[in-house]
Amino acid sequence: MERVYNFSAGPAVLPEEVLKEAADEMLNYKGSGQSVMEMSHRSKVFDDIIKEAEADFREVLKVPDNYKVLFLQGGASQFFAEVPMNLMKNKKAGYILTGQWSKKAFAEAKIYGEAVELASSADKTFSYIPDCSDLPITDDMDYVYICENNTIYGTKYKELPNTKGKILVSDVSSCFLSEPMDVTKYGVVYGGVQKNVGPAGCVIAVIREDLITDDVLPGTPTLLKWKTQADALSLYNTPPCYTIYICGKVFKWLKKMGGLSAMKEHNEKKAKIFYDFLDSSKMFKGTVVAKDRSLMNAPFVTGNADLDAKFIKEAADAGFVNLKGHKTVGGMRASMYNAMPIEGVKKLVEFMEKFEKENA
Ligand SMILES: *Cc1c(COP(=O)(O)O)cnc(C)c1O
């Protein structure tokens, strides 16, 4: 069977050459006589894999020396709890609510202390990013939390909030490595890799060194204390070895493709093709305020649930899969991560044009 164009929000499309390389190495990784799935995480051969992955990640994202890079488990959802556990010294933090994932992080933080809603776009179904230039941030807040790219609703911060000197914590799960970012503006940047980086099973966290301490909330499990993981170089216990190995290959692919500036250009081209079509179509409409549109996730609707369902089915039959919108929003969503070729988006738009003519 032919490979499809996969518009899934995650787990999502990976670069084909990475998959081919992994297939070639499946039974015998670099003369070790073993698959990476089979080898000890304490072996020299795996140690080289994780160290090289970290070095390439640092190079691609331009991570400053005073930040640690941790490979963790539990998904972004577990990290929602790790943030307050490790950072809530005053037991108070500010959250900006721009969708499902920031709401979940907010609810999780409330288990550990006082989580304050600083701003929200819930009034218009999270279709925009609120003004974050003068938020009610108080001196006793330990950090300000955002979800930078809203996977479900399709918005992205084009400008970071004014945190009034407080540490910024950002969930970048669905825009990780999609464009360059200035890590120095953040205290903590983290994301589940299964959206734009690799297979499911790993969270990469980039944390400023001074925020990694023994001073965590009482009852914090050993494994969820960042210091444990930082001291052990992400090898306190068995890490998601195979996922880290594939992520390492993706970092090399990104370097070969010209790094994150080239990726940004590539992603902007795809998004322009898609949004220009939505803006000209009489049948398909985007659901997000234009200036806040994500390059990665583009939700859209026809305004007619039966027509949406017909479109999703016919698109899948034509080889454009996983276009169904999130269950909480309905409609459709095209996720156009790094590994989605421009050709995939062009062909999807051609398919949509044809569908529109046939169903007008
Ligand atoms: C998918 C997603 C999550 C949840 O990720 P898990 O790894 O499944 O816990 C959190 N935040 C964002 C922005 C996401 O896209």
Side-chain angles (χ1 to χ4, degrees):
M1 190 199 160
E2 290 261 315
R3 278 178 56 83
V4 293
Y5 288 112
N6 181 5
F7 291 91
S8 170
V13 56
L14 287 168
E16 209 165 284
E17 59 180 86
V18 164
L19 297 176
K20 283 185 179 147
E21 255 183 55
D24 285 345
E25 293 171 351
M26 181 59 75
L27 296 181
N28 184 354
Y29 175 75
K30 290 194 177 166
S32 66
Q34 310 153 64
S35 167
V36 174
M37 285 189 210
E38 301 171 300
M39 58 183 56
S40 164
H41 62 295
R42 304 286 174 206
S43 64
K44 165 87 172 76
V45 56
F46 184 74
D47 204 52
D48 289 346
I49 290 173
I50 191 168
K51 290 222 166 75
E52 203 168 317
E54 179 178 339
D56 286 331
F57 174 83
R58 283 182 172 275
E59 185 183 330
V60 167
L61 192 61
K62 298 191 166 59
V63 178
D65 287 344
N66 63 326
Y67 285 73
K68 296 275 190 215
V69 172
L70 305 181
F71 296 95
L72 308 172
Q73 295 188 67
S77 301
Q78 174 65 85
F79 206 84
F80 295 165
E82 292 183 42
V83 171
M85 281 173 173
N86 285 273
L87 294 181
M88 262 193 181
K89 320 287 174 193
N90 286 321
K91 295 211 168 195
K92 190 169 173 185
Y95 279 70
I96 303 172
L97 305 187
T98 53
Q100 194 89 341
W101 298 118
S102 47
K103 269 170 63 186
K104 283 197 167 165
F106 179 59
E108 195 71 18
K110 282 183 170 172
I111 298 173
Y112 302 97
E114 189 186 346
V116 179
E117 177 183 317
L118 294 173
S120 168
S121 50
D123 61 333
K124 291 184 180 150
T125 337
F126 300 115
S127 57
Y128 70 103
I129 297 289
D131 176 9
C132 296
S133 56
D134 186 18
L135 300 166
I137 295 166
T138 52
D139 252 3
D140 54 352
M141 286 182 183
D142 293 304
Y143 59 88
V144 171
Y145 183 101
I146 61 169
C147 176
E148 200 157 327
N149 184 79
N150 295 282
T151 326
I152 295 172
Y153 295 95
T155 58
K156 161 121 204 294
Y157 285 80
K158 302 293 161 81
E159 203 181 316
L160 293 176
N162 174 4
T163 64
K164 303 186 176 172
K166 296 295 172 196
I167 298 159
L168 180 62
V169 178
S170 179
D171 173 358
V172 297
S173 293
S174 50
C175 59
F176 222 175
L177 307 182
S178 65
E179 56 183 281
M181 68 192 291
D182 181 357
V183 174
T184 64
K185 295 206 166 109
Y186 304 81
V188 179
V189 176
Y190 79 95
V193 300
Q194 74 275 22
K195 307 289 163 67
N196 199 31
V197 180
C202 184
V203 163
I204 301 179
V206 182
I207 309 175
R208 215 175 62 207
E209 254 166 17
D210 60 293
L211 304 176
I212 301 176
T213 67
D214 280 315
D215 180 18
V216 297
L217 294 186
T220 299
T222 309
L223 196 56
L224 303 188
K225 194 166 126 181
W226 296 336
K227 183 128 194 324
T228 307
Q229 296 284 11
D231 287 349
L233 307 173
S234 303
L235 289 165
Y236 176 77
N237 69 331
T238 318
C241 300
Y242 199 78
T243 293
I244 292 169
Y245 155 75
I246 299 287
C247 289
K249 288 197 178 298
V250 172
F251 306 148
K252 293 218 186 290
W253 176 79
L254 286 168
K255 279 166 56 174
K256 201 175 99 184
M257 297 296 285
L260 299 191
S261 307
M263 238 350 101
K264 181 177 188 209
E265 240 176 78
H266 167 69
N267 291 325
E268 280 173 345
K269 270 188 205 150
K270 287 181 290 180
K272 183 167 176 5
I273 293 167
F274 196 73
Y275 288 126
D276 279 355
F277 168 70
L278 286 186
D279 290 342
S280 70
S281 166
K282 292 202 169 51
M283 177 180 281
F284 297 103
K285 294 276 167 267
T287 57
V288 167
V289 169
K291 73 171 179 45
D292 297 328
R293 281 170 169 170
S294 162
L295 294 180
M296 299 280 95
N297 314 97
F300 58 103
V301 294
T302 64
N304 172 336
D306 293 338
L307 199 56
D308 286 353
K310 183 169 192 249
F311 172 76
I312 292 161
K313 171 160 193 321
E314 289 184 14
D317 291 345
F320 306 100
V321 306
N322 293 319
L323 281 165
K324 197 170 187 318
H326 190 270
K327 59 183 190 299
T328 60
V329 209
M332 285 77 71
R333 170 176 51 173
S335 295
M336 301 173 281
Y337 295 122
N338 285 344
M340 171 59 65
I342 289 183
E343 191 196 26
V345 176
K346 279 190 183 152
K347 287 193 173 159
L348 174 63
V349 165
E350 282 165 22
F351 177 81
M352 289 167 77
E353 281 167 342
K354 184 167 143 275
F355 183 89
E356 184 167 345
K357 277 202 196 91
E358 287 169 2
N359 294 275

